[in-house]
Amino acid sequence: MRKEVMIDASKCNGCLSCTVACSAAHIPSGDPLEALLTGEPSRIAVYSVHGKAVPITCRHCDEPACVNACMAGAMQKNAESGRVKNENTGHDCIGCWMCVMACPYGVINQREKEGRSVAVKCDGCVGRSVPACVESCPNGALTYGPVNEYAETKQRQAAASQVA
């Protein structure tokens, strides 16, 4: 069963541990300080909405608009894992930004790579059993598991709130 990063914004305090861990997970050394100093972009963002911290990351859509919009074929969805990524796919991002315009969540950013701007987005932390953002979250605002398990937990919480 496919696992997803699920977000409970009510538990997020805006500490940005997830963004630092994400950046560090995408450099060879894995060092958070080096990631900050080199400007490695995070693939998760935390926004303030009406004074509340809200994490936003790629939803790895079943029918991703970013993949359909990518003229270079760099943005691809792995049929087995369900992850959408554009790095190490055999095609290079050409920086046309069609994926950015097509993404309904606005989670594709840009970074400088070898002297040119390319798209960068969450890849689900390929090679890790749990994405770095989830592993680093001190409040449990980010969890990783099957969607139905997350839904069951939310249902139990909603039911408990009705009798409390």
Side-chain angles (χ1 to χ4, degrees):
M1 183 169 296
R2 194 169 107 189
K3 295 181 178 181
E4 298 292 338
V5 172
M6 303 304 287
I7 300 168
D8 184 346
S10 70
K11 294 180 179 179
C12 181
N13 68 0
C15 71
L16 303 179
S17 292
C18 57
T19 64
V20 174
C22 176
S23 294
H26 288 89
I27 61 171
S29 71
D31 179 30
L33 182 57
E34 182 182 340
L36 290 170
L37 293 174
T38 60
E40 179 65 30
S42 175
R43 282 112 166 111
I44 184 170
V46 179
Y47 292 96
S48 178
V49 180
H50 304 297
K52 180 70 184 135
V54 181
I56 301 291
T57 191
C58 180
R59 305 313 311 150
H60 299 281
C61 304
D62 285 337
E63 295 183 26
C66 61
V67 170
N68 293 333
C70 182
M71 299 185 315
M75 193 71 70
Q76 297 179 14
K77 181 179 177 91
N78 181 295
E80 189 176 309
S81 70
R83 295 287 164 246
V84 176
K85 67 179 199 164
N86 69 323
E87 296 174 287
N88 303 315
T89 62
H91 299 278
D92 290 333
C93 173
I94 60 172
C96 69
W97 314 123
M98 293 300 292
C99 58
V100 173
M101 293 183 276
C103 177
Y105 301 102
V107 295
I108 303 172
N109 296 305
Q110 69 177 5
R111 73 176 255 209
E112 293 300 314
K113 182 178 180 182
E114 299 168 2
R116 60 189 179 91
S117 291
V118 296
V120 63
K121 63 170 292 304
C122 172
D123 59 5
C125 283
V126 175
R128 295 177 63 112
S129 59
V130 176
C133 60
V134 173
E135 198 172 74
S136 70
C137 182
N139 299 319
L142 304 174
T143 56
Y144 186 64
V147 174
N148 62 339
E149 286 180 16
Y150 182 82
E152 287 176 24
T153 299
K154 296 291 277 185
Q155 289 169 359
R156 284 192 195 99
Q157 291 169 347
S161 72
Q162 299 298 313
V163 295

